[in-house]
Amino acid sequence: MDTTEPPGTATGTGGTGTRADGTGIGDPRTDGTRTGDPRTDGTHTDETWRDRWGRPEDALARAVEVLRAPRPDVLLRLSDVLGTLVPHTALAQLSGVCTFSPSHSYGPPELTAAISALDLSRLAEHAAGTTSSGRPWQGEAELAGRSRPVVVVATTPGNDSGAVLVLVRAGTEPVAPGALAVLQQLWDLVIAHSDHRATDAAPTQTAASRASANARARAIAEFTGTHSAALTAILAPLRSAGLDDATARRDATELAVTALLDLRQGAELDRALSEEPADAAFARLVRELRPLLRHTRVHLDVAPPPAADRSVPADAAHTARDAVRVAVLLMLEQEKPTRLHVSWQLTADGQLRAVVRGDGLGLLTADALTVHRTADRITALGGRHGVEAVPGWGTTVTVDLPLALPEPALATDPLDGLQPRELEVLDQLARGRRNRDIAAALHISESTVKFHVANILAKLDVSSRGEAAALAHRAGLPRGPVGLHAAS
């Protein structure tokens, strides 16, 4: 097992969670053994995972269990499922698929709170440099102040940003090659599914993603500016010739410079995960269009955005690609063109403009983009679209998407800050139900319920379930009939 450690890490925060009994994932069983531990006769066994994963139908059932989870619960469900494949105490992911919250972690707060996106990025780079593509890496890595055994698995969906999953292992025994192969396939499947969800997100999800991404970008900019100013102020006296201790001055200067570089790398990493280079986003669109025209006689002309060095929000790029694909499909079906021209422009007024022109019959209707809710997705991002059809001459479809949204209005409803799953849990709380009952009603684990309840109390700024329930009642919850349940 490769035990080379990746470069040093930086501190950061992430979502956390623990099991209902407070233990880590893959903790000892009730009989004192742990999945993947040596047998009692002293011989190592790395095949115990086959008890739960050996048959194809078992592996598929666990994959379906993860894919059915709501987006906020995917990592928690994945952790539960992987407990019998790769026992672990915590896990964290870094993904360019989720543009508004690319890094998540689950496990003991004292560990996950110290794992930053920069840590995960460096681990991914280290793993990519030491293993062949498509294979997980296992070894030792410096996390949360000490060396820990980890497994790192990476994948790249349709976009080029990729996604990495890091499992902090419960033991030091090597993971079986068969288990690693199953882990890789499951992670590929989860990320492909997440990429599909992001690409074809409902209009309300698209708008929420964009607003969250803008808020996160502002917070990161403020964080980076504040710390950069503080560190720059420290550097000035340390570089002063009036200080006698040259060695201390030099060492302190190097530490401060390193901290500044880490801050800048963190900001660049976050920007890379929430945005796509304009030329790369357009190139992906062209790759997606080629198969649609492969068996036709239609000639495709493309004009990439001139400002190739600029980036566009990932959700705007997703929506622009979707609109162009729909327009091309509609023209192929209804217009019978011989030539199509597709172009993107970044306009002076801060818009991403996507244009599709065809020389077909010119019969496309003004509401053509209502197919697959494409028009709704454009509207959700504050964009607009138009269809100009001239019979006998052809059709032009134009889509304009703002590269930034206006400042969101201040929320007046105290529940506005809750995610859909958290609202469901709060609705159950307002009915006076126990965690066990909530878990059964929503088809999630009790540990997931505890995780959501903790987030609800923090977001509503209350200290007890009773206060949260009272606030929910004032906001109109619960909805529907209320049964008789004792609160836990």
Side-chain angles (χ1 to χ4, degrees):
M1 180 171 63
D2 190 341
T3 57
T4 307
E5 294 184 8
T9 61
T11 59
T13 60
T16 62
T18 56
R19 289 202 183 282
D21 59 1
T23 62
I25 303 90
D27 275 347
R29 298 175 179 175
T30 54
D31 62 358
T33 64
R34 186 196 306 271
T35 301
D37 274 352
R39 294 187 187 273
T40 53
D41 62 2
T43 62
H44 173 72
T45 174
D46 58 2
E47 300 298 330
T48 53
W49 62 276
R50 294 188 183 277
D51 296 341
R52 299 288 298 276
W53 293 82
R55 300 186 307 165
E57 55 265 37
D58 293 336
L60 286 173
R62 280 155 186 77
V64 169
E65 185 180 347
V66 175
L67 299 184
R68 281 179 172 172
R71 291 184 67 176
D73 297 340
V74 168
L75 193 64
L76 280 68
R77 191 70 55 83
L78 181 64
S79 179
D80 286 339
V81 166
L82 291 181
T84 56
L85 182 67
V86 181
H88 55 282
T89 57
L91 78 171
Q93 74 165 28
L94 181 67
S95 171
V97 173
C98 183
T99 61
F100 66 91
S101 186
S103 62
H104 295 276
S105 55
Y106 176 61
E110 63 274 11
L111 173 57
T112 56
I115 299 177
S116 70
L118 198 55
D119 294 336
L120 301 178
S121 175
R122 287 169 171 166
L123 270 174
E125 292 176 0
H126 177 74
T130 54
T131 62
S132 59
S133 177
R135 294 182 57 190
W137 174 85
Q138 57 179 323
E140 299 284 329
E142 189 74 21
L143 287 176
R146 68 179 180 87
S147 182
R148 303 175 189 270
V150 299
V151 171
V152 181
V153 54
T155 188
T156 302
N159 59 14
D160 297 326
S161 54
V164 61
L165 178 71
V166 175
L167 295 94
V168 181
R169 298 188 49 221
T172 57
E173 302 84 6
V175 180
L180 290 178
V182 173
L183 173 64
Q184 179 70 60
Q185 294 297 320
L186 179 60
W187 184 238
D188 289 345
L189 182 61
V190 169
I191 292 304
H193 183 66
S194 298
D195 184 51
H196 175 73
R197 279 180 167 181
T199 302
D200 298 325
T204 53
Q205 294 173 335
T206 301
S209 171
R210 187 65 174 281
S212 298
N214 283 354
R216 183 170 55 86
R218 288 193 298 272
I220 289 171
E222 294 172 0
F223 172 83
T224 303
T226 300
H227 284 74
S228 296
L231 290 171
T232 302
I234 293 173
L235 285 174
L238 290 177
R239 287 173 171 166
S240 172
L243 295 177
D244 296 330
D245 193 344
T247 301
R249 185 169 66 248
R250 183 177 62 252
D251 291 347
T253 300
E254 290 175 356
L255 288 172
V257 168
T258 300
L260 275 172
L261 291 175
D262 280 349
L263 282 171
R264 291 171 183 168
Q265 289 176 8
E268 291 171 0
L269 172 64
D270 188 85
R271 185 164 53 251
L273 291 169
S274 60
E275 299 177 352
E276 291 187 45
D279 54 349
F282 186 80
R284 180 181 175 185
L285 169 64
V286 174
R287 291 196 301 270
E288 294 171 350
L289 293 180
R290 296 291 185 194
L292 302 180
L293 305 174
R294 183 172 299 157
H295 302 293
T296 72
R297 296 184 178 181
V298 177
H299 179 76
L300 177 65
D301 295 322
V302 296
D309 57 336
R310 291 184 57 183
S311 295
V312 297
D315 44 19
H318 284 323
T319 302
R321 283 192 293 262
D322 174 64
V324 170
R325 284 195 305 268
V326 170
V328 168
L329 287 171
L330 289 172
M331 288 185 182
L332 290 176
E333 179 182 352
Q334 302 179 25
E335 297 277 302
K336 312 302 180 186
T338 61
R339 181 179 294 269
L340 290 173
H341 180 84
V342 175
S343 66
W344 277 14
Q345 299 176 16
L346 300 178
T347 65
D349 59 347
Q351 303 274 337
L352 169 60
R353 175 168 294 168
V355 179
V356 183
R357 293 190 181 93
D359 63 351
L361 302 176
L363 302 177
L364 211 60
T365 60
D367 60 351
L369 291 190
T370 56
V371 177
H372 302 307
R373 300 186 297 181
T374 300
D376 292 338
R377 294 183 65 187
I378 295 170
T379 302
L381 291 183
R384 60 183 183 274
H385 69 281
V387 177
E388 183 181 356
V390 180
W393 291 89
T395 301
T396 300
V397 176
T398 303
V399 176
D400 287 318
L401 295 167
L403 297 178
L405 288 180
E407 291 291 328
L410 294 177
T412 56
D413 187 336
L415 307 187
D416 282 349
L418 300 183
Q419 296 293 330
R421 177 62 86 180
E422 291 168 344
L423 285 172
E424 292 176 350
V425 173
L426 181 60
D427 184 89
Q428 297 292 319
L429 278 181
R431 299 170 187 268
R433 290 180 173 167
R434 298 184 178 92
N435 286 351
R436 184 185 304 108
D437 300 322
I438 297 174
L442 301 181
H443 306 290
I444 58 180
S445 66
E446 284 192 59
S447 60
T448 301
V449 174
K450 285 191 174 185
F451 174 77
H452 286 311
V453 169
N455 282 345
I456 290 169
L457 297 183
K459 290 182 178 182
L460 297 183
D461 195 24
V462 297
S463 57
S464 69
R465 297 164 67 100
E467 291 182 58
L471 196 153
H473 282 294
R474 290 195 295 270
L477 295 180
R479 300 184 178 94
V482 179
L484 298 177
H485 296 268
S488 60

